[in-house]
Amino acid sequence: MAEQISIFIENKEGRLAEVTAILRDAGVNIRALSLADTTDFGVLRLIVNENEKATTALREQGFTVGKTRVLAVEVNDEPGGLNQVLDPLSEQGVNVEYMYAFANPQCKNAIMIFRFDDLEKAKIILAEQGIKVVDKDEISNL
Amino acid sequence: MPIYDIDYETMPREGLEAIQLRRLQTTIERIYATIPFYKETYDKAGVKPSDIKSLDDLRRLPFTTKQDLRDNYPYRMFAVPMEQVIRIHASSGTTGKPTVVGYTKRDISTWADLMARSMAAAGATAGDIIHNAWGYGLFTGGLGAHYGAERLGASVIPVSGGNTKRQITIMQDFKPTILCGTPSYILHLAEVADEMGVNFKDLSFKSGIFGAEPWTERMRTELEAKLNLKAVDIYGLSEVMGPGVSVECVEEQKGLHIAEDHFIVEIVDPDTLEPVPPGDSGELVFTTITKEAFPVIRYRTKDVTSLNPVPCTCGRTHMRMNKPTGRTDDMLIIRGVNVFPSQIESVLMESREVAPHYQLLVDRVDNLDILTVKVEIDEASFSDDIKGLQAMEGKISHNIKEHLGVSAKVALVEPKTIERSQGKAVRVIDNRQF
């Protein structure tokens, strides 16, 4: 199980750069990110090496930070690799809320971050399929 | 232009003041005997009805405020038993409770007379067809104008608000000659007409009577150019009576003649509550001197304007008030609906179960008032789910519409981005130009 931090950002020029600068100054490394937005605001979703440090630094600067449990899944780096993960889930009615990719220099497989509508069920299915789920500590130590 | 009630509307000052004093004395005696609120406040101030010997003595009486009316909700400010009340109207319901006002048969008749006067001042005669786009309902605009039009003997089309395209078809087919409505809605209507390829120059309007919200000289120029008619301003409020308290004459279009044989007007400094010199700006205060069911004495309207005592070339001797320029409180008028920031606050509390930081932004886009409610997000209501956040905006917007009757766009903003001022928060940014 991995933990994602989410940050509320208004759609204003330079706002994203401010967030990343805060993390830089706190010595936090960003592993993966995705930005979902509407016309007025966006939600920045981040996987970082040190969640607490990142959260504290961002909150100090007045940002709203949330935490979400997500799954970091190893995906075989070959054609059809993603389908090996998605097919068994969709067959059993688990829906992907969102997903984004993970930069992983130490592994030849890709890592994808998933938020599922039914996290527990997804975990069981992935375990049954022998698909590796990377945990929080592993992410921090990557 | 003919004057509807020539005896009263052109009465010399001296005669008018004599009538005002007599009517004021009668009113004070009556409310002292029938409305406990007035008896208590006058006893406390040490003034007896018999002390009112001149018009200047009116100043010895305490003011009446919106809060006083609220404290006596719903019927305790009525001076007659309910058997004599034949109509009830209400203000929009500001911080919770609306203000309920009642009318006797004679009050309705007086109001019809004053609206007939107003329409005549705008150039209407018995031969005219009046397109009444003010809303019918608890709001006084629709029915007030309706009865006035009938009293004048004109034909009235009770079209009310909304259904803009249908209104335009009616204008083409029925050929109304006088248009009544709120100025922002009328400008919107003009734009829809334009989109439909309907030119107001091909319609039959000669005058438009616009009111229920503040509008500027610039808007008059625009209305007159777009609609090919003479635009006059009308003023009123339900607490005092409804539309027809004052109106511009079509000859001058410069200041609104106050029906001084029915209302005594004062302008006071909103802070000191002392009278201001003629011509200076201050808060408009009205005393009704002919109303039976719901008289108000020195009612503070919160509208800011000034009086013009210079006689008008139209022949009417009643004093004119200039177009109101603002409000002494923070009430907003959005498309004719009164909106208080505190109402928005209570909706937000209800929608989110937390006391939020918020700000109201008002813009005028394409001649319509656009209300945006900025709400700061907090960690309790934040989630990484965009759909959830949008649903929250939608829910708040829905609740505002439900409670206040106005549409508002809700925009979530980052915490602490709404400017904190020292002490009281700046709740309203009004970008409209009045």
Side-chain angles (χ1 to χ4, degrees), chain B residues 155-417:
Chain B
S155 316
V156 55
I157 307 172
V159 67
S160 196
N163 284 315
T164 308
K165 286 187 176 165
R166 183 157 172 253
Q167 296 221 13
I168 293 159
T169 307
I170 286 169
M171 288 173 176
Q172 288 175 290
D173 298 347
F174 298 8
K175 309 209 179 333
T177 49
I178 307 283
L179 177 57
C180 296
T182 54
S184 65
Y185 177 67
I186 297 300
L187 277 171
H188 170 68
L189 192 144
E191 280 170 2
V192 175
D194 200 40
E195 284 162 20
M196 288 167 70
V198 175
N199 189 341
F200 264 84
K201 292 196 169 52
D202 301 331
L203 301 179
S204 319
F205 290 113
K206 53 183 188 185
S207 302
I209 307 171
F210 304 130
E213 65 189 10
W215 53 292
T216 54
E217 285 304 320
R218 197 185 56 78
M219 251 177 109
R220 189 197 315 269
T221 310
E222 198 177 339
L223 282 161
E224 293 193 336
K226 279 192 177 155
L227 298 160
N228 192 36
L229 46 68
K230 286 269 193 185
V232 301
D233 194 0
I234 192 165
Y235 174 88
L237 62 168
S238 60
E239 293 88 341
V240 174
M241 187 182 69
V245 171
S246 65
V247 69
E248 285 178 330
C249 58
V250 75
E251 294 92 334
E252 283 280 338
Q253 296 175 288
K254 213 167 183 224
L256 299 91
H257 291 278
I258 298 161
E260 286 192 275
D261 49 335
H262 295 276
F263 313 106
I264 297 175
V265 62
E266 298 171 81
I267 299 272
V268 300
D269 181 311
D271 297 321
T272 64
L273 299 180
E274 290 299 317
V276 304
D280 281 12
S281 268
E283 185 174 331
L284 193 57
V285 172
F286 280 110
T287 296
T288 68
I289 50 174
T290 54
K291 271 176 75 190
E292 292 183 333
F294 194 89
V296 284
I297 306 301
R298 306 195 82 197
Y299 182 69
R300 294 182 57 186
T301 64
K302 305 270 181 175
D303 285 319
V304 176
T305 185
S306 56
L307 296 179
N308 176 9
V310 179
C312 185
T313 57
C314 72
R316 289 175 182 83
T317 51
H318 294 181
M319 210 182 322
R320 283 174 286 173
M321 55 182 255
N322 292 310
K323 276 174 168 294
T325 52
R327 301 274 308 173
T328 58
D329 56 21
D330 57 4
M331 188 185 85
L332 285 166
I333 302 176
I334 310 284
R335 303 192 196 183
V337 179
N338 295 354
V339 175
F340 280 82
S342 53
Q343 284 177 290
I344 302 279
E345 189 170 315
S346 58
V347 170
L348 290 174
M349 306 254 287
E350 209 176 284
S351 309
R352 305 175 69 223
E353 281 129 22
V354 282
H357 286 281
Y358 66 96
Q359 195 168 54
L360 311 185
L361 265 97
V362 195
D363 289 286
R364 191 158 272 177
V365 180
D366 296 331
N367 295 310
L368 273 185
D369 296 333
I370 304 294
L371 174 64
T372 305
V373 181
K374 286 166 82 174
V375 188
E376 281 186 9
I377 189 93
D378 55 24
E379 295 204 350
S381 45
F382 174 62
S383 83
D384 71 315
D385 180 12
I386 288 274
K387 273 181 285 184
L389 294 172
Q390 285 181 315
M392 187 164 85
E393 287 181 339
K395 180 186 162 199
I396 297 170
S397 178
H398 173 85
N399 289 351
I400 289 171
K401 177 83 187 174
E402 197 94 329
H403 284 75
L404 282 76
V406 293
S407 302
K409 175 185 156 50
V410 174
L412 294 175
V413 298
E414 287 174 27
K416 309 215 169 54
T417 51

Side-chain angles (χ1 to χ4, degrees), chain A residues 90-142:
Chain A
S90 61
E91 271 163 31
Q92 296 195 53
V94 176
N95 189 34
V96 178
E97 302 266 25
Y98 55 77
M99 56 181 272
Y100 50 98
F102 194 101
N104 178 15
Q106 294 171 22
C107 173
K108 70 176 176 56
N109 289 338
I111 296 179
M112 297 293 295
I113 304 295
F114 286 95
R115 167 125 190 231
F116 297 103
D117 59 357
D118 190 341
L119 184 90
E120 297 306 323
K121 196 172 169 187
K123 259 166 70 180
I124 294 164
I125 295 166
L126 293 173
E128 279 168 6
Q129 299 292 319
I131 294 167
K132 191 178 178 210
V133 172
V134 184
D135 70 21
K136 199 177 163 184
D137 291 336
E138 275 182 76
I139 288 171
S140 296
N141 295 326
L142 279 174

Side-chain angles (χ1 to χ4, degrees), chain A residues 16 20 30-35 44-47 100-102 113:
Chain A
L16 183 58
T20 52
I30 300 170
R31 300 285 188 209
L33 66 79
S34 102
L35 182 64
L44 178 65
R45 298 156 182 157
L46 293 175
I47 302 291
Y100 50 98
F102 194 101
I113 304 295

Side-chain angles (χ1 to χ4, degrees), chain B residues 54-131:
Chain B
S54 72
L55 286 177
D56 284 342
D57 289 330
L58 176 62
R59 287 194 203 139
R60 300 176 60 182
L61 300 173
F63 291 92
T64 307
T65 64
K66 184 108 184 159
Q67 189 58 46
D68 295 328
L69 305 187
R70 269 189 215 133
D71 291 346
N72 289 282
Y73 175 89
Y75 297 137
R76 286 198 299 274
M77 293 299 268
F78 283 25
V80 297
M82 287 309 282
E83 298 91 83
Q84 291 176 38
V85 173
I86 65 156
R87 177 94 66 79
I88 286 168
H89 279 284
S91 65
S92 62
T94 50
T95 38
K97 296 285 186 199
T99 302
V100 179
V101 298
Y103 302 79
T104 64
K105 200 166 188 174
R106 208 188 86 183
D107 289 335
I108 292 291
S109 179
T110 303
W111 187 13
D113 272 335
L114 291 182
M115 275 309 289
R117 270 190 202 184
S118 301
M119 289 183 174
T125 62
D128 279 303
I129 303 174
I130 293 169
H131 184 106

